Amino acid sequence: MKKFYIPLLILFLLTNGCFVSKEYPVEYDYNFLGDFDNYKSFDFFITETYMPEAPQKLVKSTIKSHLELLGYEYNPDKPSFYVSYFFIEDSLKYKGYDQPKMESFIRYRSDSQKEKEKYQKQKFEIDQGTLVINFTETDNYSMIWQGYTTDLYSENIFEDPRKIRVAVLSILNNYSYVPDRKNN
């Protein structure tokens, strides 16, 4: 009988681990004319958000670690872009854009091609519980990238630090631009 429980326990642990590490569905938008090659450093811009203090600290530290891993420098004195994040409890209608994949668009299109590109609007019905992460250029305060994942209210992510990290990383994994390290 013991032999039967051990494989069952292992199967349970493996499948439970998969559920904890699943990524959340994410949408993102970016500025076609963002000068991504010149973004080398970042700082945080604090926004009003409904989020308990401990999860706020975890969101901030997860973002900071991820951006530093990509090659960006945390520099509160002279950032090239600001990072803000906030949580929206309610459902809402949101205007986003259907855009080409960020990495190929930025790397392989000329400046003149980028200038001719048109934003294709699309409307989203966003469920309760949306986490938004936004990157804003410091020179002109224009949005350069934002990602969001929704329907987190039903997940109650603030009660589980692993779910918070997974939600943040699900969003940031869609920011596919890696700065050229030799120019840093």
Side-chain angles (χ1 to χ4, degrees):
M1 194 67 147
K2 240 184 193 180
K3 290 181 181 180
F4 176 74
Y5 286 116
I6 292 174
L8 188 61
L9 178 64
I10 291 171
L11 179 64
F12 173 76
L13 290 174
L14 287 174
T15 58
N16 191 31
C18 292
F19 290 122
V20 170
S21 66
K22 73 169 181 144
E23 283 197 6
Y24 292 99
V26 171
E27 293 288 337
Y28 70 91
D29 303 314
Y30 61 93
N31 184 337
F32 287 143
L33 301 177
D35 195 3
F36 291 90
D37 287 331
N38 286 326
Y39 305 136
K40 308 292 184 202
S41 59
F42 69 96
D43 189 16
F44 288 91
F45 183 82
I46 305 304
T47 55
E48 185 83 22
T49 183
Y50 167 77
M51 203 182 301
E53 186 177 340
Q56 273 193 54
K57 288 180 179 180
L58 182 56
V59 168
K60 185 175 180 176
S61 68
T62 303
I63 293 170
K64 184 178 182 286
S65 296
H66 187 81
L67 290 177
E68 288 175 335
L69 184 67
L70 288 178
Y72 293 101
E73 176 190 356
Y74 174 67
N75 185 344
D77 296 324
K78 194 166 170 51
S80 50
F81 67 94
Y82 291 114
V83 178
S84 63
Y85 55 90
F86 52 94
F87 182 75
I88 303 168
E89 265 190 295
D90 298 325
S91 299
L92 62 124
K93 292 182 180 180
Y94 189 79
K95 180 178 70 174
Y97 301 96
D98 183 20
Q99 297 177 293
K101 292 285 184 199
M102 182 180 167
E103 177 78 22
S104 60
F105 181 84
I106 292 169
R107 292 241 188 247
Y108 302 115
R109 296 215 184 162
S110 68
D111 287 343
S112 63
Q113 288 174 316
K114 290 177 187 176
E115 288 173 7
K116 293 177 187 173
E117 189 69 40
K118 301 283 188 232
Y119 290 98
Q120 303 296 320
K121 294 178 187 173
Q122 84 186 21
K123 294 181 181 178
F124 297 101
E125 296 282 332
I126 295 186
D127 296 327
Q128 290 184 333
T130 302
L131 178 64
V132 179
I133 300 174
N134 186 306
F135 298 170
T136 303
E137 192 172 288
T138 56
D139 290 341
N140 61 14
Y141 296 103
S142 64
M143 183 276 298
I144 55 174
W145 184 88
Q146 71 177 354
Y148 43 95
T149 186
T150 191
D151 200 23
L152 299 175
Y153 194 71
S154 63
E155 291 270 337
N156 229 350
I157 68 165
F158 296 131
E159 293 180 7
D160 186 347
R162 294 172 299 179
K163 289 183 179 181
I164 294 170
R165 285 185 48 78
V166 169
V168 170
L169 292 174
S170 293
I171 294 170
L172 293 176
N173 285 341
N174 285 274
Y175 179 76
S176 57
Y177 189 80
V178 178
D180 188 2
R181 292 176 190 249
K182 65 183 173 208
N183 291 334
N184 282 345

